[in-house]
Amino acid sequence: MLITSSHSDYCKLLGTYILGKDFADLFDIVITNALKPGFFSHFPSQRPFHTLENDEEQEELPSLDKPGWYSQGNAAHLYELLKKMTGKPEPKVVYFGDSMHSDIFPAHHYRNWETVLILEELRGQDMEKAEEAEPLEKRGKYEAPKVKPLYSLSNKWGSYFIDSVSRRGNAEDSLVYTWSSRRISTYSTVAIPSIETIAELPLDYKFTRFSTNNSKTAGYYPPVHYTLGSQDTDSKIILTEK
């Protein structure tokens, strides 16, 4: 399924440009003008589904009876349709999104769906340039990704995930998780820099979840680690949690 807050005409424009004119055939359900995050948090009576005709919203629907293209709506009625389509009383949903506010937090908090955060910040400043990358034919198709130091992803802006805190006097600096890092590990099942990152993985590939051993980094793919030494000074940096 595809769920977007864009209106139907704009969804068609982008979908056609990215995936081709028959992009809608890739999905059983397309929901436009979803008005996220309300799509996940509002009751069905507050946010009913609408049919569409020439990209204009038509009648309200008391429920969803079949796959199709709809506007607005709510996650509760969508989930009931998924039950009918799968024949399962509690079908599992894995939801991909690039917004913590509109996608990841509400899908996890209100619906308890598995969430995959598409996090552009994982690319970092030092991401390998395409023209410098080794040709794909010279690498294993499912070659294990290189582990990146999470603390040093951007020399200009610093890390989106870890912050260095100066202590008073002669006390050593320490690394602490940022607010963003804590939200990622709390509400995401897995975080990836882009869809392309996982596109060629085998279908039975097993991802490590953030909840594994309460690790703050287990769910990042490609894997990351913390740099426990300063790049600019000889001072020791100690990772702490508060």
Side-chain angles (χ1 to χ4, degrees):
M1 58 188 177
L2 171 65
I3 307 174
T4 175
S5 290
S6 298
H7 285 271
S8 178
D9 53 354
Y10 189 61
C11 175
K12 290 178 181 178
L13 176 67
L14 289 186
T16 300
Y17 179 78
I18 297 170
L19 299 173
K21 63 180 182 179
D22 297 325
F23 79 95
D25 294 340
L26 299 173
F27 306 97
D28 293 304
I29 305 167
V30 177
I31 300 170
T32 56
N33 195 26
L35 303 174
K36 298 177 291 184
F39 179 86
F40 299 100
S41 60
H42 287 193
F43 295 110
S45 59
Q46 297 174 294
R47 192 69 61 77
F49 279 97
H50 291 258
T51 57
L52 283 165
E53 184 176 336
N54 297 324
D55 296 321
E56 295 291 335
E57 292 181 353
Q58 304 297 315
E59 61 177 321
E60 293 184 3
L61 299 174
S63 63
L64 285 185
D65 297 324
K66 59 182 179 180
W69 190 305
Y70 302 98
S71 183
Q72 296 197 43
N74 60 88
H77 279 168
L78 172 61
Y79 196 66
E80 291 300 316
L81 176 59
L82 296 180
K83 290 181 181 180
K84 296 178 183 178
M85 293 174 63
T86 62
K88 297 179 180 293
E90 295 183 356
K92 293 182 179 180
V93 180
V94 180
Y95 181 78
F96 288 70
D98 61 0
S99 170
M100 179 61 71
H101 172 263
S102 299
D103 297 310
I104 304 304
F105 169 76
H108 173 91
H109 181 73
Y110 294 106
R111 306 308 310 175
N112 198 32
W113 289 356
E114 303 284 6
T115 53
V116 178
L117 173 61
I118 302 174
L119 188 62
E120 188 177 4
E121 285 78 6
L122 275 174
R123 292 173 179 266
Q125 170 177 292
D126 56 357
M127 189 175 183
E128 185 180 32
K129 295 182 180 179
E131 62 270 20
E132 297 175 357
E134 188 178 8
L136 182 62
E137 60 268 21
K138 293 185 179 181
R139 292 176 286 167
K141 187 173 183 180
Y142 305 125
E143 181 182 41
K146 295 179 180 180
V147 176
K148 290 184 177 182
L150 200 60
Y151 181 66
S152 59
L153 283 179
S154 172
N155 296 328
K156 182 176 182 180
W157 302 108
S159 174
Y160 181 77
F161 311 91
I162 301 295
D163 195 13
S164 178
V165 178
S166 300
R167 301 302 182 186
R168 294 181 179 179
N170 296 324
E172 298 173 327
D173 289 354
S174 62
L175 294 180
V176 296
Y177 296 106
T178 62
W179 181 89
S180 298
S181 178
R182 291 179 179 275
R183 302 290 77 76
I184 292 168
S185 59
T186 298
Y187 299 113
S188 306
T189 304
V190 177
I192 60 177
S194 66
I195 293 293
E196 288 82 359
T197 306
I198 65 172
E200 290 192 348
L201 291 174
L203 295 178
D204 59 353
Y205 182 87
K206 295 185 182 298
F207 290 90
T208 305
R209 305 164 61 97
F210 276 115
S211 58
T212 304
N213 298 323
N214 295 318
S215 170
K216 292 293 190 299
T217 61
Y220 289 113
Y221 183 89
V224 297
H225 69 81
Y226 295 129
T227 301
L228 298 182
S230 173
Q231 296 180 338
D232 302 320
T233 69
D234 293 330
S235 64
K236 182 181 180 183
I237 298 180
I238 302 172
L239 181 64
T240 62
E241 242 190 296
K242 292 183 179 179

